[in-house]
Amino acid sequence: MKLYQKAKLIRSKNAGPFMMTLDIIFPDRQSYEEAAASPALSREKVADLYGVPVEEMKRYLIPLAGAIKFSYPRRHPSGDFLDTDLYGAQQHRPLIQLEL
């Protein structure tokens, strides 16, 4: 099953000017627990998917919100001349088709 079929919301956004965050929110406890246990959503796999060193990728499980969050440093600060996504709102794309 694809992640987008299980999640209620998949989004990315800035976590300050130097960090990016990926939020995955699930509609129910069972979906959250299945996704949290999936190797596809491990810190290592998501770091590889985004081309980030694994030690820089942070993974947060938030069971009360039914959410999984990943945070990692931006390649370029938000608003920098080389920045291609000022708000970080387009970085969730690689997660959408992820197979759980």
Side-chain angles (χ1 to χ4, degrees), residues 43-87:
R43 187 172 71 118
E44 294 78 13
K45 292 285 188 179
V46 175
D48 185 51
L49 185 65
Y50 280 86
V52 174
V54 70
E55 60 274 0
E56 292 182 2
M57 181 65 71
K58 306 296 182 215
R59 180 180 187 238
Y60 304 96
L61 299 177
I62 310 165
L64 289 176
I68 301 172
K69 177 186 280 267
F70 293 92
S71 294
Y72 60 94
R74 294 178 60 103
R75 285 186 174 82
H76 305 286
S78 179
D80 184 84
F81 177 73
L82 296 172
D83 182 25
T84 59
D85 187 2
L86 180 65
Y87 300 108

Side-chain angles (χ1 to χ4, degrees), residues 10-17 19-23 50 72 74 76-79 83-93:
I10 303 170
R11 68 180 177 197
S12 61
K13 59 185 178 178
N14 288 339
M19 296 292 288
M20 184 72 63
T21 190
L22 305 165
D23 298 326
Y50 280 86
Y72 60 94
R74 294 178 60 103
H76 305 286
S78 179
D83 182 25
T84 59
D85 187 2
L86 180 65
Y87 300 108
Q90 299 174 39
Q91 303 307 308
H92 61 286
R93 186 180 159 287

